Amino acid sequence: MTYKITEDGNIATVHLDGEIDMDVTEKAKEVIMPLIEGGKEVHLNLKEVQYMDSSGISVLIESHQKAAELGSRVVLKEISKSVLKVIMMAKLEQILIIE
Amino acid sequence: MTFSESKEFSVHSSSLKEIRNFAREILAKDNIFKSTSDDVVLALAEAAQNIVKHAYSGQETSDSLKVEISFNNNQLTIDLYDKGMPAIPTNIKPRNVDDIKPGGLGTFFIGQIMDEVMFKTSATDWVNHLILIKNY
């Protein structure tokens, strides 16, 4: 997994790339959580994520819940077809913020 | 068409991508798997992840796990073998998917994707033998 962060005002967009599994979830959290804790609204661009397993889904849930706790939000953008399928299998499309 | 291919991998989270690629290569060999390949790869990877996470509690080990993928009579069978802590099948339950919290989704995914999931106890060199079946 690789990533790129762009910031525009209070919005930080994290462009994730590659496959997100148990092996990289700590790295993903290390990238995303400080942005949420710093008060940013975090947009996760998942266009280039070809694979995500339950560990990756856990990162999305944790990020969503942490942001909500701090009065902010995590928005999922341009979700790839394969990742959307897993989100829907977990019945999270109505819970996570998808734009 | 019938086939059976197996390979051993280190019990480590870094092996998960290799396991997925092993399965992808096999499933790419015939169009019958085309529409379900991603799902089957996810189920296998979740099962392998459970071995790393639960059978070994995430502890470092020099052990291997074995994945065997077979196809016979329109049935795809994935056998996973490991030498971790013995699994107690009755304790392995998917969490309620309506309970929104991180973790515990892997078993739910496996159950959604595969037609049969079972542990087999047999006299082998391995401790746990998980069988995942999908009918075509």
Coordinates of all heavy atoms in Angstrom, one line a residue, chain A residues 4-68:
Chain A
K4 N -0.8 9.1 -0.6 CA -0.4 10.5 -0.8 C -1.5 11.3 -0.1 O -2.7 11.0 -0.2 CB -0.5 10.8 -2.3 CG 0.0 12.2 -2.7 CD -0.1 12.3 -4.2 CE -1.5 12.6 -4.7 NZ -1.7 12.8 -6.1
I5 N -1.0 12.4 0.6 CA -2.0 13.2 1.3 C -2.0 14.6 0.7 O -0.9 15.2 0.4 CB -1.6 13.3 2.8 CG1 -1.6 12.0 3.4 CG2 -2.6 14.2 3.5 CD1 -1.0 11.9 4.8
T6 N -3.1 15.1 0.4 CA -3.2 16.5 -0.1 C -4.1 17.3 0.9 O -5.1 16.6 1.5 CB -3.8 16.7 -1.5 OG1 -5.1 16.0 -1.5 CG2 -2.9 16.0 -2.5
E7 N -3.9 18.5 1.2 CA -4.7 19.3 2.1 C -5.2 20.5 1.5 O -4.6 21.2 0.7 CB -3.9 19.6 3.4 CG -3.4 18.4 4.1 CD -3.0 18.6 5.6 OE1 -3.5 19.6 6.1 OE2 -2.2 17.9 6.1
D8 N -6.5 20.8 1.8 CA -7.2 22.0 1.2 C -8.0 22.5 2.4 O -9.1 22.0 2.7 CB -8.0 21.6 0.0 CG -8.7 22.9 -0.6 OD1 -8.3 24.0 -0.2 OD2 -9.5 22.7 -1.5
G9 N -7.5 23.6 3.0 CA -8.2 24.1 4.2 C -8.3 23.0 5.3 O -7.2 22.5 5.7
N10 N -9.5 22.8 5.8 CA -9.6 21.8 6.9 C -9.8 20.4 6.3 O -10.0 19.5 7.1 CB -10.8 22.2 7.8 CG -10.7 21.5 9.1 OD1 -9.7 21.4 9.7 ND2 -11.9 20.9 9.5
I11 N -9.7 20.2 5.0 CA -10.0 18.9 4.5 C -8.6 18.2 4.1 O -7.9 18.8 3.3 CB -10.9 18.9 3.2 CG1 -12.3 19.4 3.7 CG2 -11.0 17.5 2.6 CD1 -13.3 19.6 2.5
A12 N -8.4 17.1 4.6 CA -7.2 16.3 4.2 C -7.6 15.1 3.4 O -8.5 14.3 3.8 CB -6.4 15.8 5.4
T13 N -7.1 15.0 2.2 CA -7.5 13.9 1.3 C -6.3 12.9 1.3 O -5.2 13.2 1.0 CB -7.8 14.3 -0.1 OG1 -8.9 15.3 0.0 CG2 -8.3 13.1 -1.0
V14 N -6.7 11.6 1.7 CA -5.6 10.6 1.6 C -6.0 9.7 0.4 O -7.0 9.1 0.4 CB -5.7 9.7 2.9 CG1 -4.6 8.7 2.9 CG2 -5.5 10.6 4.2
H15 N -5.1 9.7 -0.5 CA -5.2 8.8 -1.7 C -4.5 7.5 -1.4 O -3.2 7.5 -1.3 CB -4.6 9.5 -2.9 CG -5.2 10.8 -3.3 ND1 -6.1 10.9 -4.3 CD2 -5.1 12.0 -2.8 CE1 -6.5 12.1 -4.4 NE2 -5.9 12.9 -3.5
L16 N -5.2 6.4 -1.2 CA -4.6 5.1 -0.9 C -4.5 4.4 -2.2 O -5.3 4.5 -3.1 CB -5.5 4.4 0.1 CG -5.6 5.0 1.5 CD1 -6.7 4.3 2.3 CD2 -4.3 4.9 2.2
D17 N -3.5 3.5 -2.3 CA -3.2 2.8 -3.5 C -2.7 1.4 -3.1 O -1.9 1.2 -2.2 CB -2.0 3.6 -4.2 CG -1.9 3.1 -5.7 OD1 -2.1 1.9 -5.9 OD2 -1.5 3.9 -6.5
G18 N -3.2 0.4 -3.8 CA -2.7 -1.0 -3.6 C -3.7 -1.8 -2.9 O -4.9 -1.7 -3.1
E19 N -3.2 -2.8 -2.1 CA -4.1 -3.8 -1.4 C -4.0 -3.5 0.1 O -2.9 -3.4 0.6 CB -3.6 -5.2 -1.8 CG -3.7 -5.4 -3.3 CD -3.6 -6.9 -3.7 OE1 -3.5 -7.8 -2.8 OE2 -3.7 -7.2 -4.9
I20 N -5.2 -3.4 0.7 CA -5.2 -3.1 2.1 C -5.6 -4.4 2.9 O -6.8 -4.8 2.8 CB -6.1 -1.9 2.4 CG1 -5.6 -0.7 1.6 CG2 -6.2 -1.6 3.9 CD1 -6.4 0.6 1.8
D21 N -4.7 -5.0 3.6 CA -5.0 -6.2 4.3 C -4.3 -6.0 5.7 O -3.8 -4.9 6.1 CB -4.5 -7.4 3.6 CG -2.9 -7.5 3.5 OD1 -2.2 -6.6 4.1 OD2 -2.4 -8.3 2.8
M22 N -4.4 -7.1 6.5 CA -3.9 -7.1 7.9 C -2.4 -6.6 7.9 O -2.0 -6.0 8.9 CB -4.0 -8.5 8.4 CG -3.5 -8.7 9.8 SD -3.4 -10.5 10.1 CE -2.6 -10.5 11.7
D23 N -1.7 -6.8 6.9 CA -0.2 -6.5 6.9 C 0.0 -5.0 6.9 O 1.1 -4.5 7.2 CB 0.4 -7.2 5.7 CG 1.9 -7.3 5.9 OD1 2.4 -7.5 7.0 OD2 2.7 -7.1 4.9
V24 N -1.0 -4.2 6.4 CA -0.7 -2.8 6.2 C -1.7 -1.9 7.0 O -1.7 -0.7 6.9 CB -0.8 -2.4 4.7 CG1 0.3 -3.1 3.9 CG2 -2.2 -2.6 4.1
T25 N -2.6 -2.6 7.8 CA -3.6 -1.8 8.5 C -3.0 -0.8 9.6 O -3.4 0.3 9.7 CB -4.6 -2.6 9.2 OG1 -4.0 -3.7 10.0 CG2 -5.6 -3.3 8.2
E26 N -1.9 -1.2 10.2 CA -1.3 -0.3 11.2 C -0.7 0.9 10.5 O -0.9 2.0 11.0 CB -0.1 -1.1 12.0 CG -0.6 -2.0 13.1 CD -1.6 -1.3 14.0 OE1 -1.3 -0.2 14.5 OE2 -2.7 -1.9 14.2
K27 N -0.1 0.7 9.3 CA 0.4 1.8 8.5 C -0.7 2.7 8.1 O -0.6 4.0 8.2 CB 1.1 1.2 7.3 CG 1.9 2.3 6.5 CD 2.5 1.6 5.3 CE 3.0 2.6 4.3 NZ 3.5 2.0 3.0
A28 N -1.8 2.1 7.7 CA -3.0 3.0 7.3 C -3.5 3.8 8.4 O -3.8 5.0 8.3 CB -4.1 2.1 6.7
K29 N -3.6 3.2 9.6 CA -4.0 3.9 10.8 C -3.1 5.0 11.2 O -3.5 6.1 11.6 CB -4.2 2.9 12.0 CG -5.5 2.2 11.9 CD -5.9 1.5 13.2 CE -5.4 0.1 13.3 NZ -6.0 -0.6 14.4
E30 N -1.8 4.7 11.1 CA -0.8 5.7 11.4 C -0.9 7.0 10.5 O -0.5 8.1 10.9 CB 0.6 5.2 11.3 CG 1.0 4.3 12.4 CD 2.3 3.5 12.2 OE1 3.0 3.8 11.2 OE2 2.5 2.5 12.9
V31 N -1.4 6.8 9.3 CA -1.6 7.9 8.3 C -2.9 8.6 8.6 O -2.9 9.9 8.7 CB -1.6 7.3 6.9 CG1 -2.0 8.4 5.9 CG2 -0.3 6.7 6.5
I32 N -3.9 7.9 8.9 CA -5.3 8.5 8.9 C -5.6 9.1 10.3 O -6.1 10.2 10.4 CB -6.3 7.4 8.6 CG1 -6.1 6.9 7.1 CG2 -7.7 8.0 8.8 CD1 -6.9 5.6 6.8
M33 N -5.3 8.4 11.4 CA -5.7 8.8 12.7 C -5.2 10.1 13.1 O -5.9 11.0 13.7 CB -5.4 7.7 13.7 CG -6.2 6.5 13.6 SD -8.0 6.9 13.8 CE -8.7 5.2 13.7
P34 N -3.9 10.4 12.9 CA -3.4 11.8 13.3 C -4.1 12.9 12.6 O -4.3 14.0 13.2 CB -1.9 11.7 12.9 CG -1.5 10.3 12.9 CD -2.8 9.6 12.4
L35 N -4.5 12.7 11.4 CA -5.3 13.7 10.7 C -6.6 14.0 11.3 O -7.1 15.1 11.6 CB -5.5 13.3 9.2 CG -4.2 13.2 8.4 CD1 -4.5 12.5 7.0 CD2 -3.6 14.6 8.1
I36 N -7.3 12.9 11.7 CA -8.6 13.0 12.4 C -8.4 13.7 13.8 O -9.1 14.6 14.1 CB -9.2 11.6 12.6 CG1 -9.5 11.0 11.2 CG2 -10.5 11.7 13.4 CD1 -9.9 9.5 11.3
E37 N -7.4 13.2 14.5 CA -7.1 13.8 15.8 C -6.7 15.2 15.8 O -6.8 16.0 16.7 CB -6.1 12.9 16.6 CG -6.6 11.6 17.0 CD -5.6 10.5 17.3 OE1 -4.4 10.7 17.1 OE2 -6.0 9.4 17.6
G38 N -6.1 15.6 14.6 CA -5.7 17.0 14.4 C -6.9 17.9 14.0 O -6.7 19.1 13.7
G39 N -8.1 17.3 14.0 CA -9.3 18.1 13.7 C -9.7 18.2 12.2 O -10.6 19.0 11.8
K40 N -9.0 17.5 11.4 CA -9.3 17.6 9.9 C -10.5 16.7 9.6 O -10.8 15.7 10.2 CB -8.1 17.0 9.1 CG -6.8 17.8 9.3 CD -6.8 19.0 8.4 CE -5.5 19.7 8.4 NZ -5.5 21.1 7.8
E41 N -11.2 17.2 8.5 CA -12.2 16.3 7.9 C -11.4 15.5 6.9 O -10.6 16.0 6.1 CB -13.3 17.1 7.2 CG -14.2 16.2 6.4 CD -15.4 17.0 5.8 OE1 -16.0 17.7 6.5 OE2 -15.6 16.8 4.6
V42 N -11.4 14.2 7.0 CA -10.6 13.3 6.2 C -11.4 12.7 5.1 O -12.4 12.1 5.3 CB -9.9 12.2 7.1 CG1 -9.1 11.2 6.2 CG2 -9.0 12.8 8.1
H43 N -10.9 12.9 3.9 CA -11.5 12.2 2.7 C -10.5 11.1 2.3 O -9.3 11.3 2.1 CB -11.6 13.2 1.5 CG -12.7 14.2 1.8 ND1 -13.1 15.1 0.8 CD2 -13.4 14.5 2.9 CE1 -14.0 15.9 1.4 NE2 -14.2 15.6 2.6
L44 N -11.1 9.9 2.2 CA -10.2 8.7 1.8 C -10.6 8.4 0.3 O -11.7 8.0 0.0 CB -10.5 7.5 2.7 CG -10.2 7.6 4.1 CD1 -10.5 6.3 4.9 CD2 -8.7 7.9 4.3
N45 N -9.6 8.6 -0.6 CA -9.9 8.3 -2.0 C -9.4 6.9 -2.2 O -8.3 6.5 -2.1 CB -9.1 9.3 -2.9 CG -9.5 9.1 -4.3 OD1 -9.4 8.0 -4.9 ND2 -10.0 10.2 -5.0
L46 N -10.4 6.0 -2.6 CA -10.1 4.6 -2.7 C -10.2 4.1 -4.1 O -10.3 2.9 -4.4 CB -11.2 3.8 -1.8 CG -11.2 4.2 -0.3 CD1 -12.3 3.5 0.4 CD2 -9.9 3.9 0.3
K47 N -10.0 5.0 -5.0 CA -10.0 4.7 -6.5 C -9.0 3.7 -6.8 O -9.2 2.8 -7.7 CB -9.8 6.0 -7.3 CG -9.9 5.9 -8.7 CD -9.7 7.2 -9.4 CE -9.6 7.2 -10.9 NZ -9.2 8.4 -11.5
E48 N -7.8 3.8 -6.2 CA -6.7 2.9 -6.6 C -6.5 1.7 -5.7 O -5.5 1.1 -5.6 CB -5.4 3.7 -6.7 CG -5.4 4.8 -7.7 CD -5.7 4.3 -9.2 OE1 -5.4 3.2 -9.5 OE2 -6.3 5.1 -10.0
V49 N -7.5 1.5 -4.8 CA -7.4 0.3 -3.9 C -8.1 -0.9 -4.6 O -9.3 -0.9 -4.7 CB -8.0 0.6 -2.5 CG1 -8.0 -0.6 -1.6 CG2 -7.3 1.8 -1.9
Q50 N -7.3 -1.8 -4.9 CA -7.8 -3.0 -5.7 C -8.3 -4.1 -4.8 O -9.1 -5.0 -5.2 CB -6.7 -3.6 -6.6 CG -6.1 -2.7 -7.6 CD -4.9 -2.0 -7.2 OE1 -4.3 -2.4 -6.2 NE2 -4.5 -0.9 -7.8
Y51 N -7.9 -4.1 -3.5 CA -8.4 -5.2 -2.6 C -8.4 -4.6 -1.2 O -7.6 -3.9 -0.8 CB -7.4 -6.3 -2.7 CG -7.6 -7.4 -1.7 CD1 -8.4 -8.5 -2.0 CD2 -7.0 -7.4 -0.4 CE1 -8.6 -9.5 -1.0 CE2 -7.2 -8.4 0.5 CZ -8.0 -9.4 0.2 OH -8.2 -10.4 1.1
M52 N -9.5 -5.0 -0.5 CA -9.6 -4.6 0.9 C -10.2 -5.8 1.6 O -11.3 -6.3 1.2 CB -10.4 -3.4 1.1 CG -10.5 -2.9 2.6 SD -11.4 -1.4 2.8 CE -10.2 -0.2 2.2
D53 N -9.7 -6.2 2.8 CA -10.3 -7.3 3.5 C -10.9 -6.8 4.8 O -11.0 -5.6 5.0 CB -9.2 -8.4 3.8 CG -8.1 -8.0 4.7 OD1 -8.2 -6.9 5.3 OD2 -7.1 -8.7 4.9
S54 N -11.2 -7.7 5.7 CA -11.9 -7.3 6.9 C -11.1 -6.3 7.8 O -11.6 -5.5 8.5 CB -12.4 -8.5 7.7 OG -11.2 -9.3 8.1
S55 N -9.7 -6.5 7.7 CA -8.9 -5.6 8.5 C -8.9 -4.2 7.9 O -9.0 -3.2 8.7 CB -7.4 -6.1 8.4 OG -7.3 -7.3 8.9
G56 N -9.0 -4.1 6.6 CA -9.1 -2.8 6.0 C -10.5 -2.1 6.3 O -10.6 -0.9 6.6
I57 N -11.5 -3.0 6.3 CA -12.9 -2.5 6.7 C -12.8 -2.0 8.1 O -13.5 -1.0 8.5 CB -13.9 -3.6 6.5 CG1 -14.0 -4.0 5.0 CG2 -15.3 -3.2 7.1 CD1 -14.6 -2.9 4.1
S58 N -12.1 -2.7 9.0 CA -12.0 -2.3 10.4 C -11.4 -0.9 10.5 O -11.8 -0.1 11.4 CB -11.2 -3.3 11.2 OG -11.9 -4.5 11.3
V59 N -10.4 -0.6 9.7 CA -9.8 0.7 9.7 C -10.8 1.8 9.3 O -10.9 2.9 9.9 CB -8.6 0.8 8.7 CG1 -8.0 2.2 8.6 CG2 -7.5 -0.1 9.1
L60 N -11.6 1.5 8.3 CA -12.7 2.4 7.9 C -13.7 2.7 9.0 O -14.1 3.8 9.3 CB -13.4 1.9 6.7 CG -12.6 1.7 5.4 CD1 -13.6 1.3 4.2 CD2 -11.8 2.9 5.0
I61 N -14.1 1.6 9.7 CA -15.0 1.8 10.8 C -14.4 2.6 12.0 O -15.0 3.5 12.5 CB -15.5 0.4 11.4 CG1 -16.2 -0.4 10.3 CG2 -16.3 0.5 12.6 CD1 -16.6 -1.8 10.7
E62 N -13.1 2.2 12.3 CA -12.4 2.9 13.4 C -12.3 4.4 13.1 O -12.5 5.3 13.9 CB -11.0 2.3 13.6 CG -11.0 1.3 14.7 CD -9.6 0.8 14.9 OE1 -8.8 1.5 15.5 OE2 -9.3 -0.3 14.5
S63 N -11.9 4.7 11.8 CA -11.7 6.1 11.4 C -13.0 6.8 11.5 O -13.1 8.0 12.0 CB -11.2 6.1 10.0 OG -10.0 5.4 9.9
H64 N -14.1 6.2 11.0 CA -15.4 6.8 11.0 C -15.9 7.1 12.4 O -16.4 8.2 12.8 CB -16.4 5.9 10.3 CG -17.9 6.3 10.4 ND1 -18.4 7.2 9.6 CD2 -18.8 5.9 11.3 CE1 -19.7 7.4 9.9 NE2 -20.0 6.6 11.0
Q65 N -15.7 6.1 13.3 CA -16.1 6.3 14.7 C -15.3 7.4 15.4 O -15.8 8.1 16.2 CB -16.1 5.0 15.4 CG -17.2 4.0 14.9 CD -17.2 2.6 15.6 OE1 -16.2 2.2 16.1 NE2 -18.3 2.0 15.5
K66 N -14.0 7.4 15.2 CA -13.1 8.4 15.8 C -13.5 9.8 15.4 O -13.6 10.7 16.3 CB -11.6 8.1 15.5 CG -10.6 8.9 16.2 CD -10.6 8.5 17.7 CE -9.7 9.3 18.5 NZ -9.7 9.0 19.9
A67 N -13.7 9.9 14.1 CA -14.1 11.3 13.6 C -15.4 11.7 14.2 O -15.6 12.9 14.6 CB -14.2 11.2 12.1
A68 N -16.4 10.8 14.3 CA -17.7 11.2 14.8 C -17.6 11.6 16.3 O -18.2 12.5 16.7 CB -18.6 10.0 14.7

